[in-house]
Amino acid sequence: GGIITQTPKFLIGQEGQKLTLKCQQNFNHDTMYWYRQDSGKGLRLIYYSITENDLQKGDLSEGYDASREKKSSFSLTVTSAQKNEMAVFLCASSRTAETLYFGSGTRLTVL
Amino acid sequence: TQTVSQSDAHVTVFEGDSVELRCNYSYGGSIYLSWYIQHHGRGLQFLLKYYSGNPVVQGVNGFEAEFSKSDSSFHLRKASVHWSDSAVYFCAVRGNNRIFFGDGTQLVVKP
């Protein structure tokens, strides 16, 4: 078995701040994903990466940057946090875009 | 364009009842459908998948789903629910190396 670790679990930021979320996986999966989940809503894809140093934009990439410097890690940066923003950011990995394995999420609050 | 529609945002049943959570999809390519469960405060966990063969697929904890090409559906069922089945359930369809999720159905199981 493997595990996906997201850090931090809770992130509180100020308006306009640049914030970075990290994700590590030990499944040795090629593909990794970042999704945003708003309260009571489904998941929207921000970025995904099919291999080391690859980046693909999802439906919600504006306002975010991503980095995949190693196969096992995928980081997401909120380039300028929006006031009163609250969401959960979920990282996932998969072998071939079939079954996704998710982390527990990072809960973002912007004051 | 791939879309996933879960028509019921909330479903409430009593322990021991049967339940069906509905999912309809639209996708023109080869089919890969799945269901995920999300307990409060956690990431999503894979339940089951369909991509070919027997249209009724079995998952963990007594869940099953039935694929219907004519109805473009992939409904999730359980014959007798337990209080621990209370969670949000997401239907998903794969397309273009990505997975698209529905908005989720919150299942509440009352004792």
Side-chain angles (χ1 to χ4, degrees):
Chain A
I3 190 167
I4 300 214
T5 303
Q6 289 188 240
T7 54
K9 289 190 186 305
F10 299 94
L11 182 56
I12 300 175
Q14 302 289 330
E15 184 182 12
Q17 195 175 0
K18 181 188 273 191
L19 302 166
T20 298
L21 293 67
K22 294 187 184 294
C23 177
Q24 297 267 346
Q25 54 102 355
N26 63 0
F27 289 99
N28 199 33
H29 286 160
D30 289 315
T31 307
M32 296 186 74
Y33 308 80
W34 276 107
Y35 286 92
R36 175 180 166 131
Q37 184 176 29
D38 292 277
S39 180
K41 300 276 184 69
L43 279 67
R44 290 182 288 175
L45 183 64
I46 306 172
Y47 269 97
Y48 68 105
S49 166
I50 62 174
T51 190
E52 186 176 324
N53 292 320
D54 173 74
L55 290 175
Q56 307 281 340
K57 291 184 177 181
D59 303 316
L60 201 65
S61 60
E62 189 166 334
Y64 301 95
D65 288 328
S67 173
R68 182 95 183 269
E69 292 173 353
K70 293 191 301 184
K71 186 176 183 178
S72 62
S73 67
F74 192 31
S75 61
L76 180 73
T77 298
V78 180
T79 56
S80 180
Q82 301 297 304
K83 188 173 176 62
N84 297 323
E85 181 175 6
M86 283 181 65
V88 176
F89 292 84
L90 292 170
C91 176
S93 72
S94 73
R95 192 171 59 84
T96 55
E98 295 183 352
T99 302
L100 264 60
Y101 295 83
F102 283 84
S104 295
T106 293
R107 283 149 186 80
L108 172 66
T109 303
V110 181
L111 302 176
Chain B
T1 303
Q2 303 86 351
T3 64
V4 182
S5 172
Q6 294 182 245
S7 54
D8 299 313
H10 299 275
V11 172
T12 300
V13 295
F14 288 94
E15 206 166 24
D17 284 351
S18 63
V19 71
E20 179 177 85
L21 305 181
R22 293 186 290 226
C23 173
N24 290 89
Y25 67 90
S26 67
Y27 180 57
S30 56
I31 290 297
Y32 187 100
L33 296 158
S34 48
W35 277 96
Y36 289 77
I37 180 174
Q38 184 181 34
H39 289 285
H40 182 69
R42 308 287 298 274
L44 279 69
Q45 287 180 280
F46 172 78
L47 267 183
L48 47 74
K49 66 184 178 190
Y50 169 83
Y51 55 90
S52 68
N54 188 337
V56 179
V57 291
Q58 306 294 325
V60 296
N61 294 334
F63 284 97
E64 68 173 32
E66 183 167 4
F67 168 70
S68 169
K69 188 174 181 179
S70 59
D71 293 340
S72 297
S73 68
F74 188 54
H75 302 329
L76 181 71
R77 300 188 295 243
K78 186 167 182 178
S80 177
V81 294
H82 186 263
W83 64 266
S84 61
D85 293 324
S86 295
V88 181
Y89 292 79
F90 291 94
C91 182
V93 62
R94 183 184 70 178
N96 297 329
N97 206 40
R98 297 171 45 172
I99 293 191
F100 297 85
F101 289 87
D103 286 343
T105 296
Q106 172 136 35
L107 175 65
V108 174
V109 181
K110 292 187 172 182

